[in-house]
Amino acid sequence: MKMRFVSTGAVALAILGVSVIPATALAATENSAVYTHPNTEITNLPKTPFSMLNQTNYTHPGVSITNAPRHPLSPKSIVSPDSKGTYNYGWSASNWSGYAVTGSTYNDITGNWVVPTVTATSNSSYSSTWIGIDGFNNSDLIQTGTEQDYVNGRAQYDAWWEILPSAETVITTMAVYPGDHMTAHIHNNGNGTWTITLNDVTRNETFSTTKSYSGPDTSAEWIQEAPEINGKIATLAQYGETTFDPDTVNGVNPGLTASESGYMVQNNVTVSVPSNPDSDTDGFNVAYGSTQPAPPQS
């Protein structure tokens, strides 16, 4: 038995059970400039950073976070690092660890670091990695950096800038992930304004803002901090290790020395310690705990 096919393609498809759009309707659709999406509301939103879609960035709802000036330990409360090693630290604090240079006027600072990975803690814990001008021996401070926290059962990361006495401003347009290579630059423009620039080299993201600042400019720092949460120094997050390298101050190698480094003590326990400077004196490692890390390879 021979099957007879009708020459019309639409009829043949209909015989095979395939739904067919009439040619006139197809032409109308192709030529139509408006599609009204019945019962559907469609909105073209601003670009949302990928990290925000994955909920790794956040704006601290109901929480004021301040990356504060150094809180030096009183002589009675100073605790030396309790692990083996040679220590030549020049200062200690309950909220800072890292390096700070003093003795000059500082108008420019740069820094490079890799965003550390925080591990789970039973209670909320916080850490900030930043560069800044002032704050070592005064209450002024201009700074920018990243934050690595463990809050409500998950690790959270963001980028921020800050000029005291205001709390930090989260940079919501930047995605930040552990392992990202960050570069930062703070520069005095000479007219009462400073430019703060933060780059995520890994994700090709850049943020820059120019603000008024009138501090004394008497110190420059590269710091791992336990920030203040609603006015109280937070428990330091278990951040592992961070490398600051390379760094500059006033456009040149800072020539870091061990006596410019400091460690952090919380509840009479050393919780964060920097290494000695690397061989070309422009960088260092800083690690969670009391064991001094080796300096980075220059």
Side-chain angles (χ1 to χ4, degrees):
M1 175 180 178
K2 295 183 179 180
M3 182 177 290
R4 183 180 179 185
F5 287 91
V6 180
S7 59
T8 302
V11 175
L13 290 173
I15 293 172
L16 294 174
V18 178
S19 178
V20 179
I21 300 174
T24 54
L26 182 61
T29 302
E30 289 176 344
N31 294 319
S32 176
V34 177
Y35 178 50
T36 57
H37 307 291
N39 301 319
T40 302
E41 181 178 346
I42 296 180
T43 303
N44 294 293
L45 298 171
K47 177 183 176 183
T48 301
F50 181 75
S51 64
M52 292 181 71
L53 295 175
N54 286 279
Q55 297 183 336
T56 56
N57 279 21
Y58 64 114
T59 55
H60 315 294
V63 176
S64 175
I65 297 185
T66 303
N67 295 278
R70 181 177 67 108
H71 290 263
L73 296 174
S74 66
K76 291 183 179 180
S77 63
I78 291 178
V79 176
S80 296
D82 55 14
S83 61
K84 294 181 180 180
T86 301
Y87 301 100
N88 297 302
Y89 301 118
W91 51 271
S92 58
S94 57
N95 64 331
W96 284 19
S97 58
Y99 276 72
V101 295
T102 60
S104 185
T105 298
Y106 301 99
N107 294 302
D108 188 277
I109 184 172
T110 69
N112 284 258
W113 68 89
V114 173
V115 177
T117 301
V118 294
T119 57
T121 50
S122 56
N123 297 315
S124 294
S125 56
Y126 299 79
S127 69
S128 290
T129 308
W130 56 266
I131 66 168
I133 301 285
D134 288 326
F136 186 76
N137 286 317
N138 56 54
S139 58
D140 295 285
L141 190 54
I142 180 172
Q143 53 192 156
T144 189
T146 59
E147 192 164 325
Q148 307 83 213
D149 307 333
Y150 195 86
V151 180
N152 297 328
R154 65 187 179 98
Q156 300 177 329
Y157 302 86
D158 68 62
W160 54 269
W161 64 272
E162 182 177 331
I163 298 176
L164 293 178
S166 297
E168 73 173 35
T169 297
V170 175
I171 303 170
T172 58
T173 56
M174 272 189 114
V176 176
Y177 286 88
D180 284 2
H181 173 202
M182 310 297 297
T183 67
H185 186 193
I186 300 174
H187 177 72
N188 185 351
N189 299 315
N191 59 359
T193 68
W194 292 63
T195 298
I196 301 169
T197 303
L198 186 65
N199 298 300
D200 187 329
V201 178
T202 302
R203 306 192 182 277
N204 194 30
E205 296 177 334
T206 299
F207 170 83
S208 185
T209 186
T210 298
K211 299 292 182 181
S212 297
Y213 177 68
S214 58
D217 314 333
T218 55
S219 64
E221 305 90 19
W222 302 264
I223 297 296
Q224 191 74 27
E225 180 179 357
E228 291 186 4
I229 307 301
N230 295 333
K232 181 179 179 180
I233 297 174
T235 298
L236 180 67
Q238 297 183 14
Y239 67 87
E241 185 170 308
T242 305
T243 298
F244 283 93
D245 188 40
D247 309 311
T248 69
V249 67
N250 288 348
V252 298
N253 185 315
L256 299 174
T257 65
S259 63
E260 293 167 327
S261 68
Y263 61 96
M264 189 191 310
V265 175
Q266 292 191 327
N267 298 319
N268 295 317
V269 176
T270 302
V271 293
S272 185
V273 293
S275 71
N276 288 318
D278 59 11
S279 60
D280 59 357
T281 67
D282 68 349
F284 62 94
N285 287 326
V286 58
Y288 182 84
S290 61
T291 300
Q292 186 179 39
Q297 297 294 319
S298 297

